[in-house]
């Protein structure tokens, strides 16, 4: 075991396993090294696959009640230690304390929801329509699940996969993002303490995700891939899973439109915009990426939004007084600054509404008025605290612009009432639509996207089926 005060080694077959190579994990608010973390090679990763494969024969045969109780204990431990989890998130990801606590709570709720779902996995029994046979459908755990998670929600993206996988009777090899491995290791430790048997949950941290993942995905003992990350990497992985016809669940990038329709309540829309844009400092797949505001409200909305953004106190997330933390890394911050530079080249005029600390990966929010639909800021996923505003004159035009993207994860619609909001929501080409509200994620709801934003759904009643395979028996009864 390494000397770090955080769990920082691989978890393979119930053992914390140190590797000869390490890589550093930084606090992006101070640029200090938080910990050196074990750097898995493809061979280490295959050992984790072996451990998960061995554990599957036992875990898949346990009763759903036993699996539910492990998940329920994990929920209780996580809830008791919620501040430890939030602290790790704030330290390695940089997000503000309130966001870190929000994420930790959301993450724990996946353990509770899927502990409840474990015993509700039902098969199907019916007579064939012409009564010549009986149709019995069983849902069985698919096997070893390989999970790859991003840095923006280091706890919740892990529990959103681990909880349904374990509920289904699958075992897991989790590969967290190299920027934020400490939270994932902490979550795995919670599951160990909750009674998950050795090998049911394995974690491999690595600085060479591509090489390690290729080795894992080529291994016939791996039965499914569950990925959350960018559309670009998702497509690379789909090309690999295609070689083995491996089931793949994909939670990918977004380019969420935020519509403020004629007659909408501007004050409510600004509250929603602050949630939808600024939760996680804009580094969320659900982040409102582009604001389409009816011309009668555009000036009012922009003014109030700018005032609200200017009121955010920026500083280290670990300090509870701050509303906006650091971005995850200087590299990610600079990607957003590059996008802004490109937009300025197209004539956009971003306004920085406040000042960010000069050390660390901080960035002050920007508001950009009078943006042209089709320009960089409406096409690319910004993933930072930048709010481009486009005005429109007709509802049809707004809906056309909102749907004019290859992404389709989430949309926000602010309308004069919920009836009109739902009518417009039905026309949005996205897996999720928030109506007159700025936050919608919930472990009990199906999260996922249309178009290039993904395949499959996580959470809700659907989430567990990503880890189950149907088998049909025909019998004369
Ligand atoms: P990313 O795609 O760069 O990385 C995601 C994960 O993939 C990380 O663990 C990374 O180490 C790994 N990875 C990178 N290259 C790889 C490769 N060649 N082979 C295998 N694994 C590889 O994404 P990110 O920058 O960590 O996260 C931001 C992206 O994630 C955004 O596009 C965001 O919209 C998306 N996201 C989507 C959801 C969702 O539920 N739809 C949730 C959160 C984030």
């Amino acid at each position: 075991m390494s000397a770090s005060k955080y769990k920082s080694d691989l978890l393979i077959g119930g053992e914390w396993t140190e590797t000869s190579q390490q890589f550093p994990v930084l606090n992006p608010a101070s640029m200090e090294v938080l910990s050196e973390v074990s750097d898995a090679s493809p061979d280490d990763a295959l050992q984790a696959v072996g451990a998960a494969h061995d554990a599957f024969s036992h875990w898949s045969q346990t009763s759903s009640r036993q699996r539910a109780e492990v998940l329920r204990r994990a929920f209780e431990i996580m809830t008791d230690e919620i501040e430890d989890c939030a602290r790790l998130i704030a330290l390695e990801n940089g997000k503000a304390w309130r966001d870190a606590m929000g994420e930790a709570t959301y993450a724990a709720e996946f353990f509770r929801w899927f502990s409840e779902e474990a015993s509700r996995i039902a098969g199907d029994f019916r007579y064939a329509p012409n009564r010549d046979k009986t149709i019995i459908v069983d849902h069985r755990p698919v096997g070893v699940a390989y999970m790859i998670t991003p840095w923006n929600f280091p706890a919740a993206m892990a529990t959103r996969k681990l909880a349904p996988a374990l509920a289904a009777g699958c075992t897991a090899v989790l590969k967290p993002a190299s920027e934020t491995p400490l939270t994932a290791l902490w979550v795995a430790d919670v599951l160990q303490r909750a009674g998950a048997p050795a090998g049911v949950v394995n974690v491999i941290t690595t600085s060479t995700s591509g090489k390690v993942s290729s080795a894992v995905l080529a291994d016939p003992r791996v039965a499914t891939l569950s990925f959350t990350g960018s559309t670009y990497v998702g497509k690379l992985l789909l090309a690999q899973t295609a070689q083995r016809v491996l089931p793949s669940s994909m939670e990918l990038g977004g380019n969420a439109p935020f519509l403020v329709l004629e007659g909408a309540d501007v004050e409510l829309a600004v509250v929603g915009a602050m949630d939808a844009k600024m939760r996680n400092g804009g580094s969320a797949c659900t982040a409102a990426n582009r604001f389409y505001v009816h011309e009668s409200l555009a000036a009012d909305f922009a003014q109030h939004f700018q005032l609200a953004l200017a009121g955010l106190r920026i500083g280290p997330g670990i300090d509870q007084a701050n509303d906006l933390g650091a971005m995850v890394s200087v590299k990610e911050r600079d990607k957003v600054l590059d996008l802004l530079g490109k937009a300025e080249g197209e004539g956009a005029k971003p306004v920085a509404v406040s000042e960010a600390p000069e050390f660390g990966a901080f960035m002050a929010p920007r508001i950009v008025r009078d943006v042209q639909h089709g320009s960089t800021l409406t096409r690319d996923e910004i993933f930072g605290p930048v709010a481009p505003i486009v005005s429109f004159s007709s509802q049809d035009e707004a809906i056309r612009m909102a749907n004019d993207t290859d992404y389709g994860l989430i949309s926000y619609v602010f309308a004069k009432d919920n009836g009109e909001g739902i009518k417009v929501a039905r026309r949005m080409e996205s897996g999720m639509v928030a109506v007159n509200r700025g936050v919608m994620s919930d472990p009990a709801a199906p999260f996922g996207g249309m178009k290039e934003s993904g395949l499959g759904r996580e959470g809700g009643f659907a989430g567990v089926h990503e880890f189950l395979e149907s088998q049909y028996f025909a019998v004369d009864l």
Side-chain angles (χ1 to χ4, degrees):
M1 278 256 278
S2 65
S4 168
K5 63 177 167 171
Y6 308 109
K7 291 267 177 248
S8 54
D9 293 326
L10 314 182
L11 179 60
I12 301 180
E15 301 291 330
W16 295 99
T17 311
E18 192 176 357
T19 59
S20 54
Q21 304 285 323
Q22 264 88 38
F23 65 93
V25 177
L26 301 183
N27 173 351
S30 64
M31 305 314 287
E32 282 161 5
V33 175
L34 285 169
S35 182
E36 296 284 341
V37 170
S38 281
D39 197 354
S41 66
D43 280 349
D44 296 321
L46 294 182
Q47 272 193 37
V49 169
H53 192 255
D54 292 347
F56 180 71
S57 51
H58 165 69
W59 182 249
S60 59
Q61 298 307 311
T62 52
S63 68
S64 61
R65 186 71 84 208
Q66 271 173 284
R67 300 196 298 275
E69 281 168 3
V70 169
L71 292 171
R72 177 72 201 193
R73 276 195 297 275
F75 164 69
E76 284 162 4
I77 295 171
M78 211 165 156
T79 304
D80 286 348
E81 299 176 13
I82 205 78
E83 294 203 352
D84 294 347
C85 182
R87 196 168 301 114
L88 269 182
I89 296 172
L91 283 173
E92 66 175 352
N93 168 277
K95 69 178 73 174
W97 180 256
R98 195 181 43 191
D99 288 339
M101 280 295 283
E103 179 188 347
T105 308
Y106 175 54
E109 287 293 340
F110 282 103
F111 286 142
R112 174 151 65 174
W113 172 256
F114 284 108
S115 77
E116 292 159 347
E117 281 300 282
S119 297
R120 316 253 180 274
I121 298 167
D124 187 19
F125 173 101
R126 68 205 143 88
Y127 300 113
N130 63 6
R131 198 65 206 247
D132 69 334
K133 67 176 94 55
T134 300
I135 294 169
I136 300 175
V137 182
D138 187 18
H139 298 295
R140 46 195 248 178
V142 62
V144 174
Y146 184 44
M147 304 168 174
I148 304 179
T149 50
W151 47 259
N152 63 342
F153 288 96
M157 297 302 95
T159 59
R160 198 165 78 176
K161 297 183 189 309
L162 288 167
L166 267 54
C170 289
T171 56
V173 176
L174 169 66
K175 192 218 76 64
S178 48
E179 293 85 346
T180 55
L182 302 176
T183 310
L185 290 166
W186 186 89
V187 166
D189 183 51
V190 166
L191 279 164
Q192 298 271 106
R193 288 189 279 142
V200 168
V201 176
N202 305 272
V203 184
I204 47 166
T205 51
T206 181
S207 64
T208 55
S209 296
K211 261 194 348 208
V212 160
S213 297
S214 297
V216 171
L217 294 173
D219 190 307
R221 295 170 296 180
V222 173
T224 189
L225 167 67
S226 177
F227 173 73
T228 299
S230 62
T231 297
Y232 173 76
V233 174
K235 287 179 183 178
L236 293 180
L237 292 168
L238 281 171
Q240 294 175 55
T241 56
Q243 300 308 310
R244 291 192 45 230
V245 196
L246 204 63
S248 308
S249 143
M250 294 274 149
E251 294 292 344
L252 306 178
N255 178 8
F258 186 109
L259 270 53
V260 185
L261 303 175
E262 189 174 13
D265 176 339
V266 170
E267 228 172 274
L268 187 69
V270 169
V271 172
M274 289 298 289
D275 281 337
K277 178 76 246 177
M278 296 310 298
R279 206 164 51 103
N280 243 21
S283 302
C285 53
T286 51
N289 205 55
R290 41 202 176 108
F291 293 83
Y292 296 99
V293 186
H294 188 264
E295 58 191 5
S296 64
L297 306 175
D300 200 19
F301 175 81
Q303 190 194 353
H304 284 91
F305 194 11
Q306 182 162 337
L307 268 176
L309 287 169
L312 296 178
R313 187 175 148 155
I314 312 176
I318 201 72
D319 176 348
Q320 299 187 19
N322 292 322
D323 308 302
L324 178 59
M327 296 191 66
V328 72
S329 64
V330 168
K331 185 171 141 227
E332 288 299 321
R333 194 259 324 267
D334 288 352
K335 269 197 212 166
V336 181
L337 292 176
D338 282 353
L339 265 189
L340 274 174
K342 216 166 141 194
E344 280 174 308
E346 295 167 349
K349 300 214 171 0
V351 175
V353 302
S354 51
E355 300 240 328
E358 281 178 10
F359 58 90
F362 290 98
M363 179 172 170
R366 309 284 205 281
I367 197 150
V368 198
R369 299 187 192 207
D370 303 322
V371 170
Q372 291 298 313
H373 173 72
S375 62
T376 296
L377 292 179
T378 65
R379 269 200 330 264
D380 291 14
E381 188 180 23
I382 300 171
F383 234 58
V386 176
I389 302 177
V390 180
S391 67
F392 67 85
S393 52
S394 83
Q395 200 175 91
D396 282 349
E397 182 195 7
I399 294 169
R400 183 189 58 73
M401 293 191 290
N403 288 334
D404 181 23
T405 171
D406 291 333
Y407 294 104
L409 188 62
I410 183 170
S411 312
Y412 299 88
V413 176
F414 281 77
K416 67 176 187 306
D417 54 42
N418 288 338
E420 185 190 37
I422 283 286
K423 262 192 214 150
V424 172
R426 289 211 169 98
R427 296 175 64 191
M428 305 310 291
E429 294 169 2
S430 59
M432 303 178 282
V433 187
V435 177
N436 287 328
R437 54 181 295 128
V439 183
M440 72 182 302
S441 298
D442 192 301
F447 189 105
M450 295 179 179
K451 303 202 275 191
E452 293 192 9
S453 284
L455 295 171
R457 294 290 182 268
E458 290 190 323
F461 302 119
V464 77
H465 284 276
E466 301 291 335
F467 298 96
L468 293 167
E469 190 153 49
S470 300
Q471 189 173 34
Y472 153 51
F473 310 121
V475 62
D476 298 325
L477 282 180

